């Protein structure tokens, strides 16, 4: 009986210790983008895809991980590095906009960037005008 009590006490102490570590918010990642929007301006659909890199820095004190990205249009693609960005380091979200054939005019699209930082979601915006 004494062994079971000791085992349960040790298990509870371990669980409480892990919970306390999870609650430590003094070390967390933070993402800061140089800019949250970009205009491609006017461009011809015959020129094909246009590209832009949104540069960001981990301004926190723990590694930053981009967990997922979502785009608002199939014409938009976002690429991110899979490895963590260490505190003080920078990386980019590579955005490619590919205009659809025979669709002209102004556009505004968004990229949602999900991270492990306390502010989990960042929204980036691209705009432009596709001309003939």
């Amino acid at each position: 009986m004494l062994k079971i009590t000791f085992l349960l006490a040790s298990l509870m102490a371990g669980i409480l210790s892990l919970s306390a570590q999870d609650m430590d918010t003094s070390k967390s990642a933070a993402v800061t983008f140089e800019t949250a929007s970009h205009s491609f301006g006017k461009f011809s659909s015959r020129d094909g895809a246009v590209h832009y890199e949104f540069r960001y820095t981990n301004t926190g004190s723990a590694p930053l991980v981009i967990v997922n990205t979502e785009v608002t249009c199939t014409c938009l693609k976002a690429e991110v590095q899979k490895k963590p960005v260490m505190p003080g380091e920078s990386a980019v979200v590579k955005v490619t906009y590919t205009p659809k054939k025979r669709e002209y005019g102004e556009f505004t699209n968004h990229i949602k960037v999900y991270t492990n930082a306390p502010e989990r979601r960042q929204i980036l915006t691209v705009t432009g005008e596709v001309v003939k």
Side-chain angles (χ1 to χ4, degrees):
M1 181 70 170
L2 186 59
K3 287 182 180 180
I4 293 174
T5 303
F6 179 75
L7 180 64
L8 287 174
S10 297
L11 184 60
M12 288 300 291
I15 291 171
L16 290 174
S17 174
L18 288 175
S19 294
Q21 288 175 3
D22 289 344
M23 293 172 61
D24 181 13
T25 57
S26 63
K27 287 196 170 192
S28 62
V31 61
T32 303
F33 280 90
E34 288 181 359
T35 183
S37 64
H38 174 72
S39 174
F40 290 112
K42 290 183 180 184
F43 62 96
S44 172
S45 61
R46 287 176 282 194
D47 295 337
V50 290
H51 310 275
Y52 184 74
E53 293 184 349
F54 286 96
R55 177 170 287 288
Y56 64 92
T57 302
N58 179 356
T59 54
S61 56
L64 174 71
V65 177
I66 294 187
V67 179
N68 191 28
T69 58
E70 293 178 0
V71 294
T72 57
C73 176
T74 58
C75 55
L76 199 58
K77 180 180 172 187
E79 295 178 60
V80 296
Q81 72 176 33
K82 298 297 182 195
K83 69 178 187 169
V85 177
M86 302 310 288
E89 292 184 355
S90 297
V92 296
V93 175
K94 297 178 184 177
V95 176
T96 301
Y97 177 85
T98 305
K100 296 178 182 177
K101 293 180 180 179
R102 292 187 285 271
E103 284 191 18
Y104 308 106
E106 296 180 357
F107 65 87
T108 299
N109 289 299
H110 305 284
I111 304 100
K112 295 176 186 175
V113 179
Y114 296 92
T115 71
N116 66 326
E119 263 188 52
R120 298 214 182 274
R121 184 181 74 175
Q122 302 287 320
I123 298 178
L124 307 174
T125 304
V126 292
T127 60
E129 183 176 359
V130 181
V131 296
K132 290 184 182 183

